[in-house]
Amino acid sequence: MPHLLGMEDLSKEEIEGILDLSLQLEKRLELGEQKFTSLQGKTVINLFFENSTRTRVSFELAAKRLGADVINISKVGSSAAKSESLYDTAKNISAFNPHIIVVRHECSGAPLTLAKLVGAKVVNAGDGAHEHPTQALLDMLTIKKRFGGFKGLKVAIVGDITHSRVARSNILGLKKMGATVRLVGPMTMVPRVMESYGVEISHHLVEGIRDVDVIMMLRIQSERLEDLPFPSVREYSKYFGLTTAVLEQAKSDVIIMHPGPVNRGVEISPEVADGPYSLILHQVKNGLYVRMAVLHLLGGVKA
């Protein structure tokens, strides 16, 4: 695996390999092994040009658990804030000979551009509305741990599909592994062109979640919207917010997921977000194991 730029590039076997290694690393951590040596003597640069809490902390902790030296760079306080181009930033960072660069950027394709410019391995930590592969992998690990696999499962992804890199990566990954994916949301957020991905589409929340095993709620990507694609947040919440009453229409063993940050009372009610069906905090924990596995594989040495 030369880089991790998107789920589109991963084979089914590579996805299975990352998930299996994630489970192995989780087991070793639970047995008390806190430090690994697979990235000892290597440098990981976290280049985050978009705000992030979970993803940045998760990558930093994963790299440190593997023994790497970690450098964190954010847009604020860096030369990017002085209008330095991605090209110049990449060339300057490359001069320090890092082994792995983790990049999050508001522009789709920025990680691919970086991978062509530097000698380091590049990990996409989210690029524009394109892809967020490690989020999809941790979502898939969460599903695998609950159901044992993906074949025959039905997953509903609800919300702003059009602007969601999480949705795109999950569609690509889950379809490869044999799951059925249904997209649910207003017509302005789930265009019919998405059918080209081989998914089902519903514009009615109760119908969309009725027979699925997994409900994956999405945040409204307000930072990518010039105008709201619905009349008001209140109306969106009324028709597409996941509440306890709506959840009563779903299967009794359904699980609820959300990539965060959660807009409580908008796409999901606090009672559901914190309720017994929610695996949101499990997703956060699984993010550490998945990112350790990805960095370990890109590091190219045995733990």
Side-chain angles (χ1 to χ4, degrees):
M1 190 165 67
H3 307 282
L4 179 57
L5 302 179
M7 296 301 291
E8 194 165 21
D9 305 323
L10 293 179
S11 66
K12 180 180 177 181
E13 291 71 27
E14 287 174 318
I15 293 171
E16 287 175 341
I18 292 170
L19 299 183
D20 288 345
L21 180 56
S22 301
L23 292 171
Q24 293 172 29
L25 291 167
E26 177 187 9
K27 189 173 183 180
R28 290 171 64 177
L29 285 166
E30 287 181 346
L31 290 173
E33 192 175 357
Q34 293 298 310
K35 277 288 188 181
F36 301 78
T37 59
S38 54
L39 292 186
Q40 197 168 52
K42 295 183 181 291
T43 302
V44 175
I45 294 181
N46 292 322
L47 192 61
F48 274 64
F49 284 171
E50 270 192 329
N51 293 334
S52 170
T53 301
R54 278 163 296 277
T55 305
R56 187 187 61 77
V57 171
S58 184
F59 268 112
E60 181 176 355
L61 187 56
K64 288 182 174 177
R65 285 274 193 271
L66 296 173
D69 296 316
V70 182
I71 297 171
N72 296 308
I73 299 173
S74 60
K75 187 171 185 177
V76 176
S78 74
S79 292
K82 302 176 185 176
S83 302
E84 183 178 66
S85 68
L86 179 62
Y87 175 86
D88 285 326
T89 299
K91 299 302 285 185
N92 281 288
I93 288 176
S94 186
F96 295 116
N97 294 319
H99 297 88
I100 298 173
I101 298 175
V102 179
V103 59
R104 186 184 186 98
H105 204 285
E106 68 269 24
C107 293
S108 299
L112 174 61
T113 300
L114 199 65
K116 293 177 178 177
L117 292 172
V118 301
K121 305 289 183 67
V122 174
V123 181
N124 181 0
D127 61 329
H130 176 226
E131 280 226 42
H132 194 350
T134 58
Q135 178 67 47
L137 288 164
L138 75 87
D139 290 340
M140 295 173 73
L141 180 63
T142 305
I143 294 171
K144 182 182 173 78
K145 287 166 73 172
R146 174 55 65 99
F147 295 105
F150 303 94
K151 194 169 184 178
L153 286 183
K154 291 184 179 179
V155 180
I157 304 178
V158 182
D160 183 6
I161 308 296
T162 303
H163 300 92
S164 175
R165 55 197 180 203
V166 173
R168 179 177 163 80
S169 286
N170 267 296
I171 292 168
L172 293 168
L174 289 165
K175 290 285 294 175
K176 280 183 185 176
M177 303 306 286
T180 298
V181 178
R182 182 180 299 156
L183 307 181
V184 185
M187 294 180 71
T188 51
M189 299 168 89
V190 191
R192 282 289 170 188
V193 70
M194 296 301 296
E195 287 177 335
S196 64
Y197 285 86
V199 299
E200 301 173 0
I201 290 179
S202 172
H203 301 300
H204 190 282
L205 181 59
V206 172
E207 291 177 2
I209 68 168
R210 184 160 283 149
D211 58 347
V212 302
D213 305 285
V214 180
I215 303 173
M216 189 179 295
M217 302 302 294
L218 298 175
R219 182 178 64 89
I220 298 169
Q221 306 281 305
S222 54
E223 71 274 21
R224 306 189 202 289
L225 302 173
E226 292 184 5
D227 299 300
L228 284 177
F230 41 79
S232 69
V233 171
R234 184 177 178 182
E235 183 170 310
Y236 177 84
S237 180
K238 178 181 178 181
Y239 290 106
F240 291 97
L242 189 62
T243 62
T244 303
V246 172
L247 196 55
E248 289 176 355
Q249 306 300 314
K251 292 175 71 173
S252 59
D253 61 346
V254 72
I255 62 171
I256 310 298
M257 299 169 65
H258 192 302
V262 174
N263 292 318
R264 290 171 179 262
V266 178
E267 69 264 9
I268 189 169
S269 71
E271 294 77 16
V272 175
D274 299 329
Y277 301 98
S278 172
L279 296 185
I280 294 173
L281 293 181
H282 292 257
Q283 291 173 265
V284 177
K285 287 183 66 175
N286 290 332
L288 173 64
Y289 312 137
V290 160
R291 284 159 183 144
M292 286 180 69
V294 168
L295 293 176
H296 168 83
L297 290 169
L298 290 174
V301 294
K302 293 182 179 179

